[in-house]
Amino acid sequence: MRELASLVMEYYAECHRAKAEGRPVGWMPPMNGGIEVFYAMGLMPVFPENYSPVCAAFGAAPPHFETSEAMGFSRDLCGYMRNILGYVHGDMHGPLEPMGGLPEPDLIMSFGGGCIPAMKIFQHLERRFPHAKVFRADMPQVALDDIKEHHVAYAVSEMHRFIEFLERNTGRKLDEERLHEAVNLSDEACRLFDRIMSFRRNIPAPFGASEIGLMFVMVTRQGTRTAVDFLSRVLDEVACRAEARQGVVEEERLRLFWDNIPPWYDLGLLRYFEKAGGVVVAETYSSAWSIRLDTGDPIRALAVKSLMSYPLVSCVSIDRRRDMVLRACRDYAIDGAVFHSNKSCVPITLGQADIMKALERELGIPSVTIDGDHMDIRNFSLAQFQTRADAFMETLLERKGR
Amino acid sequence: MEIRPGNPASPAEPFRRALSHRGELLEKAARACAGVIGTACTYTPFELVHACGFVPIRLWERPGVVEKAYGLVPGFVCPFMRRCLEEALAGGFRFLSGIVQAYTCDVSCGVVNVWKNNFPLQLCRSLALPYNDGARSRSFLRSELMGLVDDLVAIGGTFSEDSLRRSVDLYGRIRSTLASVLDRLGRTGALGAAETLTLVQAFFVTPPETYLDMLVRLEDELPCGAPPDESRVPVIVSGSVLEDGAVLDLVEESGMRVVFLDLCTGMRALVPAAGAGEDPLESVVDRIMNRTACPSRSLPGQRARDLVLQAESYGARGVIFLFQKFCTPHLADLPVVMAALKDAGVPCMLVEIDGNGIEGQVLTRLETFATIAGAA
C-alpha cells in the first residue's frame, strides 16, 4: 500500500506525457465502461471528479471554491463541481495545483447515468473547452432491481455509439482483442479488490478505512495491467498482515462501518475512532468500484457496469443499498455504523435514515450521524465530530461490556 | 401549500376552490377510477397514466413547520420535496395508489424512494428519460413508457391505443388552452400572478375532464384586451416549483408586473401542448423530447437562449429567479443564464425559497430590483 502515492503520481505524470506526445486526452466521469475502452484504444482517460479529492487532500480546494463561487456557483452545489469548475477557470498549471494540474482535454465525455451534478460539471466543461470534441451518452438512471433488457440494449447501443465517436475523432480503430484484454484485466482487478476487502473480515482487520485511497486505482486504472499488478502486491501484503494477525490498533475493541464518501481533506478523521480501539473495517463507497464483468461479452459487460455503478451506492436503489449495508455489517461483524450526512452528496445521503433504522431493527447495530461534506471543510465542525464520535464510542463500548 | 382565502368574484375562484378541496376530491376520484398516481415532476407523462384509467397528479407540500420529515431526509435537500414527505407523513396522500417519478433530479428520485420505504403503495417506480434526441433514444423511451403501462395495468389499470389517443387529445387541449390563457394574462395583466399560478396548480390536482370544463368557462369569462398597467415594470419569474403564491404578491407589491411564469408549475409544464405523430405513443415520446428546456434535462446555454427570447417576446425588463433552496439543476445553470441575460441588458435577481415563508428583507430586495429593472 506504500506504493499508492507513487502510483497516483505516475498516473498524473502519464496524463501529462500523453498530452505532450499527442496521445488524445479525454475527460470523463468515473463509474462507467468508458475507461476500459479508452485504455484499449491507447487513449488517456482523465477524471476531473477524481482530481477533486486530490485537490482536497493537498489543500488546493479552497481557492478553487473561491473562484467558482465568485463566478456565481452557489455554495449549496456539490463540492466536486465547485472545485473542478474553479480549477478550470483559474491558473490550471499554477504552482499550487497538485500533480501539475490536468492536461487540457481533446475529448469530453459525459455518460448521463450518474447524478445531476456530474452531468452539469461536464456541460460546463464543454463551455470552458470549446475546442474539445464532445460525446454525451444517455445511460439510463434506473434502480438495480428495475434494470430490464431494453435498458441494457440501449446502454449497449450507447457503448457502440461511443466507440464510433472515438474512432471518428481520434483516427484510431478499436481492436476487439485489446478490448477483451482490458475487460479481463478490469474484472481481475475487481476480483483482487474484493479479495483484499474481504480480509477486513478478519479480527483484527489488517487495514482500516483511512487506506481507502486504494480506490484510486479502481477509479483511474481499470482495464490495465498496472491495476492488476498493484492490487496483486497489495493482496499479498494484506494476506501477510492477516496471517500475522497484525491489526490497525493494538487492541481492536470495536468494528465500525462508514457510509458515504469520506472527508477527502482529512482522511485521518477516519482514524479518530482508533483512540478508543475502534477501526472502520467496511464502507459503502468502496463497493461501487468493484463490479465483476462478464468477460465473454465485453461491450455488454461495460454497458451493464455503466448502468449499475451509480445506483449501487446512491438513492436510486435505496433498498439494494440497505441490503448491501446489512450484509456487510453481518459479514464484517460490525459493532456500530457511522453515517456521514454529506452536504456535497445528496444522492448518497438520502436514504441513510432508513438504513440506520434497518440496522437497529434487524441487527441491533446502533448508528451515529456525522454532519459534514466530502470536499468543503467549511461545512464540517471538528468539535462536533469529536463530541459525537466520543459519545458513540462510549455507548458502543458500554454495550460490549468493556 | 397554504391555500389562502380568495376573491369570490375572481374568475380564478373555482380553481382556488379546487385546490382547497383537492384531498377530498381526489379521495372521491380514486374510488371512481383505477386510482390516483402521484409524481413530483411533470416529465411523467400524465396522458399515459390517464390512458390506463388513473388520475395523475402532482404531489404538493405541507405548509407550516416540518417535524417528521426531518427524521427521514437531511436538512440540506429541496424544501419542496421535504414538505411533500411531511404531507405524506401527515396522511395527506392516503388516496394514492402509486408514484411514478421521472428521473429529473436526484432529490425527487431519492425522496420518492424514501417514500416507498415508509408508505405502502401499489406502485413506486422511476422512469428513465434519455437526454439525447434520436431514433434510438426514441425507441428506448417507447420501451420505457410501455414498461410503465405494463406496471399500471398490473395494479388494475386498463390500456388501449384508443384510450391513449383520447388522453393525448384531452391533455393536448388542456395544455394548449391553459398556455394560451397564461399568455393572454401575461400580456394583459387581467389576473394577478398569484391567481394565475393557481390556475396551473389546479391543473395538477384536478381530474382532467373536470379541469377542462373549468378552463373553458374561464376562457369565456376572462376580460379580453385589457391594457397592461404600464406603470409597473414587466418581469419574468423563473425557477423550479413554486407552491406559495405569496412571493408573487410581493413582486407585484414592489411595483412589478409578472408577464411570464417560467416555472415547473408554470409555462414550462405546458409547452408543447402535444407531440407530433399519428401513433399516440409516438406523440407522447415526441412531446417529452421537445419539452421546453428544463435545467435538469438541458444544457445551460439552451436555458439562457430561451429566457433571453422570452424576455424579448414579452417585453420583460427583468428576470426574478425563484428557486427552491438547494435546487442543484437550477443553481448549476444560473451563472450562465444570468450572464446571458445581463449581456442582453436584462437585469436579474435570485430569491431562494426555504419553505419558511418570505422575510421582509425580500420585499426590500424586490423593491430595489424594481427600481433597477425599471431604469434598465
Side-chain angles (χ1 to χ4, degrees):
Chain A
M1 290 203 201
R2 281 188 295 273
E3 281 180 51
L4 183 63
S6 57
L7 188 128
V8 171
M9 284 190 279
E10 172 49 28
Y11 165 74
Y12 286 105
E14 190 186 335
C15 292
H16 290 292
R17 263 199 317 274
K19 187 73 183 177
E21 290 164 1
R23 185 150 57 107
V25 167
W27 285 23
M28 65 167 77
M31 291 186 151
N32 59 71
I35 177 172
E36 287 88 348
V37 174
F38 250 63
Y39 280 123
M41 291 180 75
L43 308 170
M44 192 65 217
V46 170
F47 306 92
E49 279 167 272
N50 179 254
Y51 187 59
S52 287
V54 175
C55 292
F58 279 79
H64 298 160
F65 292 150
E66 276 177 32
T67 305
S68 57
E69 287 164 18
M71 291 170 68
F73 289 100
S74 165
R75 242 186 99 165
D76 288 330
L77 289 165
C78 158
Y80 281 169
M81 179 173 190
R82 281 179 292 127
N83 175 72
I84 201 66
L85 294 182
Y87 163 69
V88 298
H89 286 280
D91 179 4
M92 285 181 61
H93 304 291
L96 298 178
E97 300 305 344
M99 309 292 160
L102 298 176
E104 292 198 12
D106 304 301
L107 308 157
I108 291 180
M109 273 74 52
S110 60
F111 268 74
C115 58
I116 298 290
M119 173 182 74
K120 288 291 171 190
I121 287 172
F122 283 86
Q123 291 180 351
H124 285 288
L125 291 177
E126 288 176 24
R127 298 176 66 83
R128 168 64 183 83
F129 301 106
H131 64 276
K133 302 286 183 198
V134 173
F135 179 82
R136 299 186 202 108
D138 242 354
M139 291 298 169
Q141 289 136 315
V142 58
L144 290 174
D145 292 333
D146 295 337
I147 294 176
K148 304 269 181 359
E149 188 47 42
H150 73 271
H151 296 116
V152 177
Y154 187 53
V156 167
S157 76
E158 286 296 276
M159 288 303 301
H160 283 295
R161 196 166 68 82
F162 174 57
I163 292 164
E164 285 161 21
F165 164 85
L166 292 178
E167 290 183 337
R168 194 171 59 249
N169 286 289
T170 66
R172 294 173 184 231
K173 189 93 186 135
L174 175 67
D175 179 329
E176 284 188 22
E177 274 306 306
R178 286 193 67 186
L179 181 65
H180 202 264
E181 188 192 345
V183 169
N184 275 325
L185 289 168
S186 187
D187 182 57
E188 176 62 3
C190 291
R191 190 189 69 77
L192 290 165
F193 189 77
D194 289 348
R195 187 89 184 90
I196 291 165
M197 290 297 158
S198 72
F199 270 103
R200 297 165 81 188
R201 294 179 192 186
N202 287 26
I203 302 175
F207 69 99
S210 57
E211 314 264 18
I212 202 173
L214 191 61
M215 271 171 42
F216 181 86
V217 74
M218 301 302 285
V219 179
T220 62
R221 290 296 197 182
Q222 278 194 347
T224 65
R225 171 61 59 192
T226 308
V228 169
D229 290 348
F230 171 73
L231 291 169
S232 299
R233 289 192 293 276
V234 171
L235 179 60
D236 290 345
E237 183 187 336
V238 169
C240 282
R241 284 195 211 170
E243 175 77 26
R245 295 186 54 77
Q246 185 185 336
V248 177
V249 289
E250 204 167 310
E251 186 194 356
E252 185 180 284
R253 299 165 77 193
L254 293 168
R255 296 169 63 79
L256 303 172
F257 183 88
W258 179 277
D259 185 69
N260 215 319
I261 304 173
W264 296 119
Y265 41 81
D266 187 0
L267 286 180
L269 290 169
L270 295 166
R271 302 194 66 175
Y272 181 76
F273 307 97
E274 291 173 12
K275 68 173 189 167
V279 179
V280 178
V281 299
E283 56 283 313
T284 334
Y285 197 49
S286 50
S287 57
W289 307 95
S290 172
I291 294 175
R292 297 300 303 274
L293 304 174
D294 172 6
T295 55
D297 191 344
I299 301 277
R300 187 180 167 94
L302 296 176
V304 169
K305 173 187 166 184
S306 305
L307 283 174
M308 285 180 67
S309 298
Y310 173 64
L312 199 60
V313 288
S314 71
C315 59
V316 180
S317 293
I318 292 175
D319 295 357
R320 282 289 285 267
R321 207 173 108 214
R322 181 193 59 217
D323 294 347
M324 188 172 78
V325 173
L326 288 172
R327 195 170 50 249
C329 286
R330 274 190 210 102
D331 292 351
Y332 287 75
I334 297 294
D335 298 303
V338 182
F339 284 79
H340 180 200
S341 184
N342 181 354
K343 188 162 185 270
S344 261
C345 193
V346 169
I348 301 185
T349 303
L350 276 169
Q352 283 183 328
D354 283 320
I355 298 171
M356 289 166 84
K357 280 187 215 156
L359 272 175
E360 182 66 55
R361 188 179 59 239
E362 294 181 33
L363 302 179
I365 294 177
S367 310
V368 68
T369 298
I370 302 292
D371 295 312
D373 189 305
H374 66 247
M375 278 298 292
D376 195 338
I377 199 165
R378 293 172 297 180
N379 295 326
F380 174 76
S381 157
L382 180 62
Q384 190 195 55
F385 166 75
Q386 289 174 334
T387 307
R388 286 196 191 169
D390 289 345
F392 187 54
M393 296 300 283
E394 268 176 40
T395 312
L396 292 180
L397 286 169
E398 223 173 88
R399 279 170 75 120
K400 279 197 106 173
R402 291 199 215 174
Chain B
M1 169 185 26
E2 194 152 19
I3 312 299
R4 293 170 299 160
N7 167 13
S10 165
E13 182 57 13
F15 298 85
R16 193 197 62 79
R17 277 203 306 272
L19 276 178
S20 293
H21 299 289
R22 64 201 158 182
E24 56 215 81
L25 291 172
L26 287 169
E27 279 193 24
K28 207 166 140 191
R31 288 193 293 273
C33 67
V36 176
I37 297 290
T39 181
C41 173
T42 54
Y43 268 88
T44 296
F46 276 35
E47 48 274 74
L48 197 69
V49 175
H50 183 260
C52 293
F54 294 85
V55 173
I57 63 147
R58 187 178 177 122
L59 302 171
W60 60 78
E61 66 176 27
R62 186 171 185 81
V65 178
V66 173
E67 289 171 348
K68 295 177 182 169
Y70 277 118
L72 293 174
V73 296
F76 48 81
V77 299
C78 162
F80 168 72
M81 287 309 303
R82 190 167 59 234
R83 284 172 175 277
C84 287
L85 196 56
E86 186 77 5
E87 177 71 356
L89 289 161
F93 294 118
R94 276 187 303 255
F95 52 79
L96 277 185
S97 298
I99 295 184
V100 177
Q101 180 61 28
Y103 199 111
T104 46
C105 94
D106 300 322
V107 175
S108 57
C109 173
V111 170
V112 165
N113 281 324
V114 169
W115 197 307
K116 178 182 170 184
N117 282 331
N118 289 278
F119 304 97
L121 289 171
Q122 288 177 279
L123 175 68
C124 196
R125 71 159 1 246
S126 62
L127 201 60
L129 303 176
Y131 291 100
N132 298 325
D133 190 0
R136 279 188 295 200
S137 326
R138 284 176 176 242
S139 167
F140 164 73
L141 185 51
R142 276 184 80 97
S143 304
E144 188 68 354
L145 295 179
M146 283 314 294
L148 170 59
V149 168
D150 290 345
D151 286 352
L152 289 168
V153 168
I155 62 162
T158 51
F159 176 78
S160 70
E161 201 176 303
D162 276 349
S163 69
L164 181 57
R165 187 168 281 113
R166 284 194 297 276
S167 298
V168 165
D169 289 346
L170 175 63
Y171 276 93
R173 208 172 147 209
I174 290 173
R175 290 192 194 105
S176 65
T177 310
L178 184 53
S180 135
V181 165
L182 293 193
D183 179 68
R184 208 165 117 196
L185 291 173
R187 292 182 194 279
T188 63
L191 277 186
E195 284 185 305
T196 304
L197 178 71
T198 306
L199 308 182
V200 189
Q201 288 171 315
F203 164 46
F204 294 129
V205 294
T206 311
E209 299 82 358
T210 310
Y211 184 81
L212 183 59
D213 289 345
M214 291 160 62
L215 194 58
V216 169
R217 275 200 299 277
L218 172 84
E219 224 187 353
D220 294 341
E221 288 169 17
L222 268 185
C224 46
D229 180 354
E230 297 293 350
S231 68
R232 293 176 173 275
V233 182
V235 293
I236 288 174
V237 166
S238 175
S240 47
V241 185
L242 181 60
E243 286 273 280
D244 186 354
V247 67
L248 297 176
D249 289 339
L250 280 187
V251 169
E252 290 176 337
E253 280 168 27
S254 309
M256 292 179 274
R257 177 163 55 87
V258 179
V259 292
F260 189 81
L261 289 173
D262 173 56
L263 302 169
C264 300
T265 43
M267 198 68 111
R268 273 209 316 277
L270 307 174
V271 178
E278 283 298 303
D279 165 13
L281 188 60
E282 190 49 47
S283 84
V284 176
V285 168
D286 187 67
R287 178 171 187 276
I288 292 173
M289 290 298 195
N290 287 305
R291 290 276 305 255
T292 305
C294 161
S296 65
R297 310 295 309 160
S298 66
L299 301 169
Q302 178 65 47
R303 282 278 300 147
R305 280 190 294 278
D306 284 356
L307 269 172
V308 169
L309 284 175
Q310 282 155 4
E312 278 171 17
S313 166
Y314 285 86
R317 292 163 70 185
V319 174
I320 298 168
F321 292 100
L322 289 180
F323 291 174
Q324 294 286 329
K325 179 94 177 137
F326 310 114
C327 181
T328 292
H330 282 269
L331 287 172
D333 279 6
L334 192 63
V336 171
V337 175
M338 273 192 162
L341 285 164
K342 279 177 188 160
D343 285 350
V346 182
C348 24
M349 73 174 283
L350 168 65
V351 176
E352 289 187 276
I353 301 163
D354 65 6
N356 294 318
I358 302 296
E359 293 170 4
Q361 193 194 27
V362 172
L363 181 60
T364 311
R365 288 182 61 212
L366 287 169
E367 284 169 347
T368 309
F369 180 74
T371 310
I372 294 166

